[in-house]
Amino acid sequence: MKPLPPVIIVTLFATGGCAILSGDNQPTIADLGRHTVELEDVPVTASESQAIIAYRDYLKTGDATDSRPQAMRRIADLNLENEASPVINPVTQAVSPQARESIELYRNVLALYPERPDNDSVLYQLARAYEMNAQPQQSLDTLARLVREYPESDYLLEAQFRRGEILFVQQDYLNAEQAYRVVVNAADDNPFYRQSLYKSGWCFFKESMLDESLDAFTALLDLELQDPESGITQIDTLSRTRRELVDDTLRVVSLSFSYGDGAGGIADYFQRRGTRHYEHIIYDNLGILYLKKERYNDAAETFQSFVRQNPNHRLAPGFQMRVIETYQSGQFPTLVLESKKELVDRYNLQSDYWTYHAPEDSGEVLDYLKLAMSDLSRHYHALAQKDKKPGDYQQAAHWYRRYLGSFRDAPAAAEMNFLLADLLFESGDYRQATREYESTAYDYATHEKAAAAGYAAVLAYDRHEKTLAGEIQSAWQEQSIEHAIRFATTFPRHPQAMAVLTRSSEQLLARHDQARAIQVAETVISSEQASAEQQRVAWTVLAHAHFDLQDYLQAESAYQQVRQKMSPTSKNYNAINERLAASIYKQGEAAQASGDTVAAVDHYQRIRQATPDASIVATAEFDAAAGLLAMQDWTEATAVLERFRNNHPYDPRQGEVTRRLAMAYLAKAQPLQAA
């Protein structure tokens, strides 16, 4: 409302000068008609009620100058001012006698003084008085007269706005919109501009003119959500009044799109009208509207539509997350699964989105991605274990790898890697399983699955080796042994560590890698974790390896250890005994080759003491006798040869032994024994 004009007081002036109001010269009411009366705009120090009394007294004088309509207006204005917050009579719907008096006074001014230049303000105040007196139609008619007769009035925009308000209440949306449109088409800095935009949008909406309605509401949102500095205003920063206006505008915009093509309508509208920085708010509100109506598919499609239109928008991942949550609320498990796939495919850390946004600023999105990838991989893993379908194995592996590709350093990454390896093992892809088990065991910081993964890799190596042949198998076995040794030395406390290490030593020996076999076997021998059987096997490997390397002294020592750890009834006891004898014999051969016949004879004779049942004992004694003969130790030679004749009666060398024995006796001058 326009402010009221200043309150005035009545000042009386005599025609010829100032009249002295005292004694007999005091004028009467009748005298006032003979005086010129002027109204001065001076402050009123008395109460408004006293001012009204003064103006009424003045009107009783019958003065017909220009001051009279002014006084009439002042009384009417003061009455309205006193009734700024009227209490309407519930029976008569009238406000008060003062409001009715104001209406009569304004009407009289207009009727008696139709040519006054400020009658536009009188019409404005009359419309106010009608409105306060609960006479909206009369107020509307008065405002219509004002805009019709005074198109240049300062009150024009407010009059049109108030016309629109009354017409809107009367549900005359067409004429209301026309009134609002006058305000909107004026300068956008007028105080009624934004409210007129808002109400004109509602008028179009009520008339089902949805595009026109959206145009008006969009123009309003452009103003309300535009920050002069950054260009973007957050709704949360708006004042309460502006926030309520924006919220209601967004509500009706959502309704408009819901009556049309929904989310598709939003995309189409902003393609035609130009993009807006607040489009996400429109999609968000439409989605919420659908959710309130339990239209889950429509809500999810709305959120999804924003993502598809704006895949790299800062908020796009959040909208995709809401798609998932919406389908979860609607209990659509298949759609939940598909929407999780879309989230991961669009926003894994290798996607284009992260070239525009910093992952460290998107903690919630990253956590949701981890959860979605984990859910997808475990879902398909469970299906694969149940139905054994190759496609499910492939899907599960795909999502495990997606997780590891994006979150290799996450706390759960090692466990996810272990599950991927298990999946590959279960599917029969042992080669890839070994890689993933190894990665789980050695590529992460210490974790509880590391040792188990290391051992599982050993098993996977074995399984894959059985599918190979020839040189490929040999090369694979070499890798397998290296991993087994790495596992056992990295996790020596694992229950299978010594078993794996023992087996590796055997495999190395079989591959003729005696040096590595000795090294691994000695590790087993020195470990307190190794069982008695593992110790025996390791000593066996050590003995064989030294024997193969012609280190017969070490071989003899090792074979002695092996034999001590075996029962004479053991299956391999005789074989070890033979090897022990051979180790000693080989030392004799070496000594003999070097010209040390004494040492050679000593070694040959030790064989009978160390391994009396060995098959090589006869040969050793035969050779020992030959050495003794060569050294002309006839006494010892005859003793050895006699023992040979007695202990090995069926040996084919008996004839030669007899000849040598005779020769020895002759050399000792014992011809009878020689004969």
Side-chain angles (χ1 to χ4, degrees):
M1 292 292 182
K2 295 283 185 180
L4 291 173
V7 180
I8 61 174
I9 60 173
V10 181
T11 306
L12 304 179
F13 294 90
T15 304
C18 183
I20 300 175
L21 303 180
S22 62
D24 295 337
N25 295 324
Q26 183 173 354
T28 65
I29 291 178
D31 295 330
L32 292 175
R34 298 189 297 272
H35 293 264
T36 300
V37 179
E38 295 182 0
L39 300 178
E40 291 182 342
D41 290 337
V42 297
V44 176
T45 57
S47 67
E48 292 178 348
S49 59
Q50 290 175 324
I52 291 174
I53 291 172
Y55 285 130
R56 284 176 178 159
D57 285 343
Y58 162 70
L59 291 179
K60 292 176 183 179
T61 65
D63 178 60
T65 65
D66 189 57
S67 296
R68 187 172 188 82
Q70 291 187 50
M72 295 168 67
R73 276 210 56 191
R74 295 300 184 266
I75 295 172
D77 290 347
L78 289 170
N79 278 337
L80 289 187
E81 194 66 23
N82 288 335
E83 298 295 333
S85 300
V87 178
I88 299 177
N89 186 306
V91 178
T92 64
Q93 292 297 303
V95 179
S96 68
Q98 288 88 345
R100 291 195 296 274
E101 182 185 22
S102 293
I103 292 171
E104 183 178 354
L105 287 168
Y106 289 135
R107 293 181 63 181
N108 286 338
V109 170
L110 293 170
L112 296 173
Y113 307 98
E115 302 301 324
R116 282 178 57 80
D118 64 345
N119 275 355
D120 59 333
S121 67
V122 177
L123 287 169
Y124 170 83
Q125 290 292 83
L126 176 59
R128 256 186 88 199
Y130 277 131
E131 185 176 353
M132 296 182 69
N133 202 43
Q135 295 177 277
Q137 186 57 49
Q138 289 83 345
S139 178
L140 180 64
D141 294 342
T142 303
L143 291 169
R145 178 182 171 187
L146 190 161
V147 301
R148 183 176 62 253
E149 295 180 4
Y150 298 94
E152 303 299 325
S153 171
D154 291 341
Y155 295 94
L156 178 67
L157 294 182
E158 185 174 353
Q160 290 286 26
F161 175 73
R162 297 201 175 283
R163 284 186 67 239
E165 296 288 83
I166 296 170
L167 291 165
F168 190 90
V169 171
Q170 293 177 347
Q171 300 183 14
D172 185 354
Y173 301 117
L174 176 60
N175 287 314
E177 188 280 323
Q178 292 174 351
Y180 290 129
R181 182 56 51 186
V182 173
V183 181
V184 170
N185 288 338
D188 61 9
D189 59 350
N190 76 76
F192 309 103
Y193 180 80
R194 297 192 182 197
Q195 193 67 17
S196 294
L197 260 182
Y198 170 71
K199 295 304 281 287
S200 64
W202 267 108
C203 290
F204 286 127
F205 179 79
K206 293 290 187 179
E207 295 178 281
S208 298
M209 300 172 66
L210 298 184
D211 259 15
E212 290 79 359
S213 170
L214 288 170
D215 288 344
F217 288 128
T218 300
L220 178 60
L221 291 173
D222 287 345
L223 290 173
E224 292 294 341
L225 299 180
Q226 189 73 22
D227 181 71
E229 295 182 3
S230 67
I232 298 175
T233 296
Q234 298 296 328
I235 291 182
D236 292 342
T237 65
L238 297 175
S239 67
R240 179 179 176 181
T241 301
R242 290 179 65 194
R243 175 65 185 267
E244 290 175 352
L245 178 65
V246 168
D247 284 346
D248 199 60
T249 301
L250 292 171
R251 181 178 66 85
V252 69
V253 166
S254 296
L255 287 172
S256 298
F257 283 120
S258 73
Y259 294 161
D261 295 332
I266 298 177
D268 177 68
Y269 179 81
F270 286 114
Q271 284 176 357
R272 289 185 285 110
R273 297 294 195 269
T275 60
R276 299 297 196 276
H277 68 267
Y278 54 80
E279 286 179 35
H280 64 280
I281 302 176
I282 307 297
Y283 282 95
D284 179 62
N285 276 266
L286 178 59
I288 291 173
L289 176 66
Y290 285 138
L291 282 175
K292 288 178 179 178
K293 296 180 179 181
E294 297 186 354
R295 293 171 59 179
Y296 297 108
N297 278 315
D298 289 332
E301 179 55 33
T302 299
F303 299 137
Q304 188 73 75
S305 179
F306 176 78
V307 176
R308 290 170 182 163
Q309 294 295 323
N310 309 275
N312 293 321
H313 190 282
R314 179 178 59 87
L315 300 176
F319 273 84
Q320 187 65 48
M321 288 152 57
R322 296 180 70 185
V323 173
I324 298 169
E325 292 163 357
T326 299
Y327 284 134
Q328 287 173 334
S329 298
Q331 299 182 1
F332 300 110
T334 302
L335 295 176
V336 169
L337 200 66
E338 293 304 315
S339 55
K340 285 181 179 179
K341 289 180 183 179
E342 190 154 354
L343 172 72
V344 176
D345 284 340
R346 284 185 182 277
Y347 301 112
N348 65 82
L349 289 185
Q350 287 72 51
S351 68
D352 291 342
Y353 176 84
W354 300 107
T355 62
Y356 304 98
H357 308 282
E360 58 269 22
D361 297 332
S362 306
E364 184 181 358
V365 175
L366 299 187
D367 288 343
Y368 210 100
L369 274 171
K370 292 175 190 174
L371 182 61
M373 292 176 181
S374 178
D375 288 347
L376 287 167
S377 54
R378 292 172 189 269
H379 170 79
Y380 282 106
H381 196 157
L383 286 180
Q385 289 176 325
K386 178 184 176 183
D387 301 327
K388 310 298 181 186
K389 292 181 179 179
D392 292 334
Y393 283 114
Q394 292 168 5
Q395 280 285 328
H398 171 77
W399 298 116
Y400 279 129
R401 288 194 171 100
R402 277 290 195 189
Y403 185 100
L404 296 171
S406 293
F407 304 108
R408 190 75 186 184
D409 298 327
E415 182 182 0
M416 295 295 282
N417 209 155
F418 188 75
L419 290 171
L420 170 60
D422 277 349
L423 174 82
L424 294 168
F425 190 93
E426 294 162 10
S427 69
D429 189 351
Y430 304 118
R431 183 177 183 279
Q432 287 300 321
T434 62
R435 303 291 181 257
E436 298 304 335
Y437 280 131
E438 284 183 302
S439 178
T440 305
Y442 309 113
D443 293 349
Y444 299 92
T446 303
H447 61 94
E448 62 179 9
K449 297 288 188 181
Y455 181 64
V458 173
L459 301 179
Y461 267 110
D462 287 347
R463 290 289 185 92
H464 186 58
E465 183 180 335
K466 293 174 182 177
T467 67
L468 305 174
E471 293 182 0
I472 296 176
Q473 185 185 54
S474 178
W476 180 260
Q477 188 186 63
E478 183 177 0
Q479 296 179 47
S480 174
I481 294 169
E482 292 304 319
H483 169 75
I485 295 171
R486 183 183 186 187
F487 157 71
T489 53
T490 305
F491 307 105
R493 296 289 179 183
H494 189 280
Q496 298 298 323
M498 288 300 105
V500 169
L501 209 57
T502 303
R503 180 170 175 267
S504 296
S505 69
E506 293 181 289
Q507 290 176 314
L508 287 166
L509 182 65
R511 293 177 63 84
H512 307 293
D513 189 349
Q514 288 86 356
R516 291 292 305 283
I518 290 170
Q519 181 184 8
V520 174
E522 287 177 339
T523 302
V524 177
I525 291 168
S526 63
S527 173
E528 296 178 356
Q529 300 294 115
S531 67
E533 178 61 17
Q534 289 162 357
Q535 291 268 347
R536 184 194 66 76
V537 173
W539 276 112
T540 303
V541 170
L542 192 65
H544 290 335
H546 281 304
F547 191 95
D548 292 344
L549 293 173
Q550 300 180 12
D551 187 352
Y552 301 116
L553 178 61
Q554 293 291 340
E556 177 190 357
S557 176
Y559 283 128
Q560 290 281 11
Q561 290 289 336
V562 176
R563 195 173 65 170
Q564 289 175 14
K565 298 177 184 302
M566 297 177 69
S567 167
T569 60
S570 297
K571 177 181 177 181
N572 295 323
Y573 185 85
N574 289 335
I576 295 300
N577 208 46
E578 291 291 335
R579 272 301 185 110
L580 174 58
S583 298
I584 301 172
Y585 184 84
K586 287 292 185 180
Q587 292 177 64
E589 283 186 328
Q592 188 172 352
S594 66
D596 190 351
T597 306
V598 175
V601 170
D602 181 61
H603 287 308
Y604 292 146
Q605 289 191 302
R606 282 194 307 111
I607 294 174
R608 181 178 58 82
Q609 298 167 355
T611 58
D613 299 327
S615 62
I616 203 173
V617 169
T619 300
E621 290 191 336
F622 183 85
D623 290 343
L628 291 167
L629 290 173
M631 293 187 298
Q632 299 182 2
D633 186 350
W634 313 116
T635 301
E636 185 63 23
T638 56
V640 172
L641 290 170
E642 287 286 359
R643 188 168 56 246
F644 184 95
R645 291 184 70 200
N646 294 328
N647 292 340
H648 311 289
Y650 302 108
D651 190 287
R653 288 168 294 189
Q654 278 289 348
E656 181 63 22
V657 168
T658 300
R659 186 185 67 79
R660 291 184 180 185
L661 181 58
M663 183 184 66
Y665 278 129
L666 286 174
K668 287 178 65 179
Q670 292 179 301
L672 182 61
Q673 286 84 346

